């Protein structure tokens, strides 16, 4: 991102547009992993059984259940988080010079919290659309698409219920974005400084893969708790993320907090690579065209 840009800076509005394009580009090929991850987290199925159940129930298209919600999530959450992070990074860099790792993580956490609050309704609908397969037919929500799901929740549960699980969602986003964006930027700087990799795309790819490993390991316990909370059907007050994590640990074991790690990482790694490479390349294209 900005670490590879010299003097010219991309306008804030363009940062948000680039974030939207990058998020959508990453969501389409990695959505099946999102589906598998969510279904494993709301059940005790193995990855193999989850794949077979999805295929038997809905065929190949079953792996793209909830795609409309996934794309709308990118247009809200990812647009906001990447736009805010890039803008904050540029401002901080202009005032303080080269930033340290802790500052990068902090900026990523701020961007993640703000972006996740905007994107929580779409995240809620995505989880419910994907998790419907585990409910009896008479209890399935059967949202037709993301907009139908949002309207349905608003009408039947109330407007504020669109933000069910907002706190764990923001907590997860703080961890994910702090580690993902901060580690990506820092890793890219380190690789540039050591001159191990000189090619732009290879540099971005290596930094994104390093970022993906750190991000997944640190964030999946919160993601499991968030998924369980947002999939609840009762209208009573939602449990806290800490209470959910403790309950999962007691009833299912500590390792259950990393349930769905393989599809989570299989989705997060290419998603991070595609997103961050797109962000960097679109920044360069914009500067090349408009900074002459």
């Amino acid at each position: 991102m900005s670490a590879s840009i010299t003097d010219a800076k991309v306008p804030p509005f363009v940062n948000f547009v680039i974030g939207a394009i990058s998020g959508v580009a990453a969501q389409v090929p990695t959505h099946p992993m999102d589906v598998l991850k969510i279904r494993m987290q709301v059940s005790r199925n193995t990855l193999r059984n989850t794949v077979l159940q999805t295929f038997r129930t809905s065929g190949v298209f079953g792996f793209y259940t909830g795609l409309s919600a996934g794309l709308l999530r990118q247009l809200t959450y990812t647009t906001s988080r990447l736009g805010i992070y890039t803008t904050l990074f540029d401002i901080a860099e202009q005032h303080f010079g080269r930033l340290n790792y802790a500052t990068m993580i902090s900026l990523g956490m701020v961007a993640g919290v703000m972006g996740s609050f905007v994107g929580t309704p779409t995240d809620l609908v995505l989880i419910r659309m994907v998790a419907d397969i585990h409910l009896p037919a008479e209890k399935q929500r059967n949202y037709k698409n993301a907009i139908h799901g949002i309207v349905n929740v608003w009408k039947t549960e109330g407007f504020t219920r669109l933000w069910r699980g907002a706190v764990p969602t923001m907590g997860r986003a703080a961890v994910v974005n702090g580690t993902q964006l901060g580690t990506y930027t820092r890793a890219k700087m380190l690789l540039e400084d050591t001159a191990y990799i000189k090619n732009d795309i290879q540099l971005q790819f290596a930094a994104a893969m390093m970022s993906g490993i750190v991000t997944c390991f640190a964030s999946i316990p919160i993601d499991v708790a968030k998924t369980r909370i947002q999939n609840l059907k009762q209208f009573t007050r939602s449990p806290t993320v800490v209470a959910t994590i403790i309950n999962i640990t007691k009833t299912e074991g500590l390792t259950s907090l990393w349930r769905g790690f393989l599809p989570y990482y299989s989705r997060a790694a290419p998603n991070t690579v595609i997103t961050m490479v797109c962000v960097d390349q679109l920044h360069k294209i914009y500067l090349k065209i408009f900074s002459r």
Side-chain angles (χ1 to χ4, degrees):
M1 260 178 286
S2 303
S4 61
I5 299 170
T6 52
D7 297 322
K9 298 295 179 183
V10 174
F13 171 76
V14 178
N15 282 331
F16 285 85
V17 174
I18 288 174
I21 296 171
S22 302
V24 169
Q27 181 65 32
V28 175
T30 61
H31 187 78
M33 292 298 105
D34 234 357
V35 171
L36 295 176
K37 181 263 297 184
I38 291 170
R39 288 179 173 170
M40 287 182 70
Q41 288 178 346
V42 299
S43 70
R44 296 195 179 189
N45 286 343
T46 63
L47 176 58
R48 178 180 178 275
N49 289 340
T50 303
V51 171
L52 291 175
Q53 182 186 30
T54 299
F55 184 75
R56 287 169 183 166
T57 305
S58 311
V60 175
F61 291 108
F63 295 98
Y64 278 89
T65 300
L67 180 60
S68 62
L71 293 177
L72 189 57
R73 182 175 181 271
Q74 297 304 320
L75 293 174
T76 51
Y77 167 61
T78 302
T79 298
S80 301
R81 74 182 180 95
L82 291 179
I84 292 169
Y85 177 76
T86 312
T87 301
L88 290 177
F89 189 99
D90 287 345
I91 293 172
E93 199 175 45
Q94 287 175 339
H95 284 82
F96 305 109
R98 182 163 175 160
L99 306 179
N100 59 33
Y101 187 34
T103 303
M104 295 173 193
I105 290 178
S106 299
L107 294 178
M109 293 178 74
V110 171
V113 169
M114 295 174 71
S116 66
F117 182 80
V118 175
T120 293
T122 55
D123 195 46
L124 174 75
V125 172
L126 170 62
I127 287 171
R128 291 185 173 187
M129 290 178 74
V130 173
D132 244 8
I133 193 174
H134 294 293
L135 296 175
E138 67 277 8
K139 293 184 178 181
Q140 291 182 358
R141 301 175 179 99
N142 296 315
Y143 299 151
K144 296 177 183 176
N145 51 55
I147 301 301
H148 176 252
I150 289 173
V151 172
N152 184 282
V153 174
W154 188 345
K155 286 183 176 179
T156 60
E157 302 176 40
F159 180 72
T160 57
R161 286 295 177 175
L162 286 168
W163 277 267
R164 178 190 281 272
V167 173
T169 299
M170 290 188 288
R172 171 190 174 277
V175 175
V176 167
N177 287 276
T179 53
Q180 183 193 63
L181 300 177
T183 302
Y184 174 76
T185 308
R186 182 57 180 160
K188 199 166 62 167
M189 286 180 175
L190 286 172
L191 291 171
E192 285 177 328
D193 289 345
T194 54
Y196 285 139
I197 305 174
K198 296 182 179 180
N199 180 277
D200 242 8
I201 299 293
Q202 291 178 358
L203 175 69
Q204 293 154 12
F205 179 86
M209 289 298 291
M210 293 167 66
S211 171
I213 294 172
V214 176
T215 300
C216 288
F217 187 80
S219 66
I220 193 169
I222 302 176
D223 189 70
V224 171
K226 175 190 75 69
T227 298
R228 297 286 182 91
I229 291 170
Q230 291 183 316
N231 192 48
L232 292 173
K233 285 190 70 67
Q234 66 263 32
F235 295 90
T236 55
R237 186 174 180 179
S238 301
T240 65
V241 65
V242 174
T244 304
I245 288 176
I246 292 173
N247 182 60
I248 292 171
T249 303
K250 286 182 177 179
T251 59
E252 303 174 38
L254 182 64
T255 56
S256 292
L257 292 173
W258 279 267
R259 181 181 295 278
F261 182 84
L262 183 56
Y264 187 67
Y265 179 73
S266 298
R267 185 258 180 194
N271 186 280
T272 300
V273 169
I274 295 170
T275 300
M276 305 318 295
V277 170
C278 282
V279 168
D280 273 350
Q281 293 304 311
L282 289 172
H283 270 79
K284 290 188 175 183
I285 291 171
Y286 178 88
L287 292 173
K288 186 176 182 179
I289 296 174
F290 296 102
S291 296
R292 294 175 179 176

Tab-separated table of all heavy atoms in Angstrom, residues 226-245:
chain	number	residue	atom	x	y	z
A	226	LYS	N	-18.270	-15.426	17.373
A	226	LYS	CA	-19.125	-14.491	16.634
A	226	LYS	C	-20.140	-15.241	15.783
A	226	LYS	O	-21.328	-14.899	15.751
A	226	LYS	CB	-18.255	-13.605	15.731
A	226	LYS	CG	-19.030	-12.665	14.824
A	226	LYS	CD	-18.117	-12.013	13.809
A	226	LYS	CE	-17.712	-12.966	12.709
A	226	LYS	NZ	-18.828	-13.317	11.822
A	227	THR	N	-19.697	-16.283	15.113
A	227	THR	CA	-20.592	-17.065	14.257
A	227	THR	C	-21.704	-17.708	15.081
A	227	THR	O	-22.875	-17.697	14.678
A	227	THR	CB	-19.797	-18.165	13.520
A	227	THR	OG1	-18.815	-17.539	12.690
A	227	THR	CG2	-20.715	-19.009	12.646
A	228	ARG	N	-21.348	-18.275	16.236
A	228	ARG	CA	-22.354	-18.910	17.089
A	228	ARG	C	-23.393	-17.891	17.573
A	228	ARG	O	-24.591	-18.169	17.591
A	228	ARG	CB	-21.674	-19.554	18.304
A	228	ARG	CG	-20.703	-20.688	17.980
A	228	ARG	CD	-21.409	-21.966	17.585
A	228	ARG	NE	-20.465	-23.026	17.320
A	228	ARG	CZ	-20.025	-23.900	18.237
A	228	ARG	NH1	-20.452	-23.837	19.485
A	228	ARG	NH2	-19.163	-24.845	17.893
A	229	ILE	N	-22.931	-16.720	17.975
A	229	ILE	CA	-23.827	-15.684	18.493
A	229	ILE	C	-24.785	-15.198	17.406
A	229	ILE	O	-25.993	-15.063	17.629
A	229	ILE	CB	-23.016	-14.490	19.051
A	229	ILE	CG1	-22.282	-14.909	20.330
A	229	ILE	CG2	-23.928	-13.291	19.336
A	229	ILE	CD1	-21.271	-13.896	20.829
A	230	GLN	N	-24.261	-14.961	16.207
A	230	GLN	CA	-25.097	-14.418	15.139
A	230	GLN	C	-26.068	-15.446	14.569
A	230	GLN	O	-27.051	-15.075	13.939
A	230	GLN	CB	-24.213	-13.848	14.026
A	230	GLN	CG	-23.466	-12.587	14.451
A	230	GLN	CD	-22.655	-11.979	13.329
A	230	GLN	OE1	-21.969	-12.677	12.595
A	230	GLN	NE2	-22.724	-10.674	13.190
A	231	ASN	N	-25.809	-16.717	14.820
A	231	ASN	CA	-26.702	-17.754	14.310
A	231	ASN	C	-27.814	-18.093	15.302
A	231	ASN	O	-28.685	-18.912	15.006
A	231	ASN	CB	-25.904	-19.028	13.987
A	231	ASN	CG	-26.715	-20.027	13.187
A	231	ASN	OD1	-27.353	-19.673	12.199
A	231	ASN	ND2	-26.708	-21.276	13.614
A	232	LEU	N	-27.812	-17.474	16.479
A	232	LEU	CA	-28.848	-17.734	17.476
A	232	LEU	C	-30.218	-17.308	16.970
A	232	LEU	O	-30.351	-16.291	16.292
A	232	LEU	CB	-28.528	-16.981	18.775
A	232	LEU	CG	-27.297	-17.451	19.570
A	232	LEU	CD1	-27.030	-16.499	20.724
A	232	LEU	CD2	-27.506	-18.867	20.088
A	233	LYS	N	-31.237	-18.065	17.345
A	233	LYS	CA	-32.600	-17.738	16.921
A	233	LYS	C	-33.402	-17.015	17.994
A	233	LYS	O	-34.347	-16.312	17.694
A	233	LYS	CB	-33.364	-19.010	16.509
A	233	LYS	CG	-32.962	-19.561	15.164
A	233	LYS	CD	-33.898	-20.655	14.725
A	233	LYS	CE	-35.279	-20.135	14.359
A	233	LYS	NZ	-35.278	-19.294	13.148
A	234	GLN	N	-33.039	-17.199	19.281
A	234	GLN	CA	-33.845	-16.596	20.325
A	234	GLN	C	-33.724	-15.079	20.290
A	234	GLN	O	-32.735	-14.527	19.844
A	234	GLN	CB	-33.454	-17.113	21.718
A	234	GLN	CG	-32.038	-16.716	22.157
A	234	GLN	CD	-31.057	-17.818	21.896
A	234	GLN	OE1	-31.201	-18.579	20.954
A	234	GLN	NE2	-30.050	-17.910	22.734
A	235	PHE	N	-34.742	-14.417	20.829
A	235	PHE	CA	-34.798	-12.969	20.809
A	235	PHE	C	-34.268	-12.353	22.102
A	235	PHE	O	-34.339	-11.158	22.299
A	235	PHE	CB	-36.245	-12.501	20.576
A	235	PHE	CG	-36.766	-12.887	19.230
A	235	PHE	CD1	-37.424	-14.096	19.041
A	235	PHE	CD2	-36.572	-12.072	18.130
A	235	PHE	CE1	-37.901	-14.464	17.794
A	235	PHE	CE2	-37.042	-12.432	16.874
A	235	PHE	CZ	-37.701	-13.631	16.707
A	236	THR	N	-33.771	-13.209	22.995
A	236	THR	CA	-33.227	-12.708	24.239
A	236	THR	C	-31.861	-12.077	23.995
A	236	THR	O	-31.307	-12.154	22.899
A	236	THR	CB	-33.085	-13.856	25.260
A	236	THR	OG1	-32.300	-14.898	24.668
A	236	THR	CG2	-34.447	-14.397	25.638
A	237	ARG	N	-31.325	-11.474	25.038
A	237	ARG	CA	-30.031	-10.813	24.907
A	237	ARG	C	-28.939	-11.811	24.528
A	237	ARG	O	-28.862	-12.906	25.096
A	237	ARG	CB	-29.672	-10.131	26.220
A	237	ARG	CG	-28.408	-9.294	26.153
A	237	ARG	CD	-28.194	-8.542	27.458
A	237	ARG	NE	-26.980	-7.752	27.385
A	237	ARG	CZ	-26.548	-6.966	28.378
A	237	ARG	NH1	-27.269	-6.895	29.512
A	237	ARG	NH2	-25.438	-6.273	28.253
A	238	SER	N	-28.094	-11.425	23.593
A	238	SER	CA	-27.030	-12.319	23.122
A	238	SER	C	-25.963	-12.486	24.196
A	238	SER	O	-25.659	-11.543	24.934
A	238	SER	CB	-26.387	-11.740	21.858
A	238	SER	OG	-27.334	-11.570	20.839
A	239	PRO	N	-25.358	-13.665	24.289
A	239	PRO	CA	-24.246	-13.853	25.230
A	239	PRO	C	-23.031	-13.071	24.751
A	239	PRO	O	-22.909	-12.745	23.574
A	239	PRO	CB	-23.999	-15.361	25.167
A	239	PRO	CG	-24.479	-15.766	23.805
A	239	PRO	CD	-25.658	-14.888	23.524
A	240	THR	N	-22.129	-12.767	25.676
A	240	THR	CA	-20.916	-12.054	25.295
A	240	THR	C	-19.947	-13.002	24.599
A	240	THR	O	-20.075	-14.230	24.707
A	240	THR	CB	-20.221	-11.461	26.531
A	240	THR	OG1	-19.770	-12.541	27.367
A	240	THR	CG2	-21.173	-10.566	27.316
A	241	VAL	N	-18.992	-12.437	23.911
A	241	VAL	CA	-18.021	-13.267	23.207
A	241	VAL	C	-17.172	-14.059	24.201
A	241	VAL	O	-16.833	-15.221	23.951
A	241	VAL	CB	-17.126	-12.402	22.289
A	241	VAL	CG1	-16.268	-11.430	23.082
A	241	VAL	CG2	-16.250	-13.285	21.404
A	242	VAL	N	-16.865	-13.453	25.348
A	242	VAL	CA	-16.070	-14.153	26.367
A	242	VAL	C	-16.851	-15.340	26.913
A	242	VAL	O	-16.316	-16.451	27.047
A	242	VAL	CB	-15.679	-13.193	27.516
A	242	VAL	CG1	-14.979	-13.969	28.634
A	242	VAL	CG2	-14.774	-12.086	26.995
A	243	ALA	N	-18.152	-15.111	27.212
A	243	ALA	CA	-18.996	-16.196	27.730
A	243	ALA	C	-19.131	-17.314	26.710
A	243	ALA	O	-19.121	-18.502	27.067
A	243	ALA	CB	-20.380	-15.643	28.095
A	244	THR	N	-19.238	-16.942	25.445
A	244	THR	CA	-19.364	-17.947	24.384
A	244	THR	C	-18.092	-18.767	24.251
A	244	THR	O	-18.137	-19.991	24.113
A	244	THR	CB	-19.692	-17.267	23.044
A	244	THR	OG1	-20.887	-16.482	23.183
A	244	THR	CG2	-19.902	-18.299	21.942
A	245	ILE	N	-16.954	-18.106	24.295
A	245	ILE	CA	-15.674	-18.801	24.205
A	245	ILE	C	-15.489	-19.752	25.384
A	245	ILE	O	-15.052	-20.906	25.218
A	245	ILE	CB	-14.505	-17.785	24.140
A	245	ILE	CG1	-14.492	-17.094	22.766
A	245	ILE	CG2	-13.168	-18.472	24.417
A	245	ILE	CD1	-13.450	-16.005	22.635
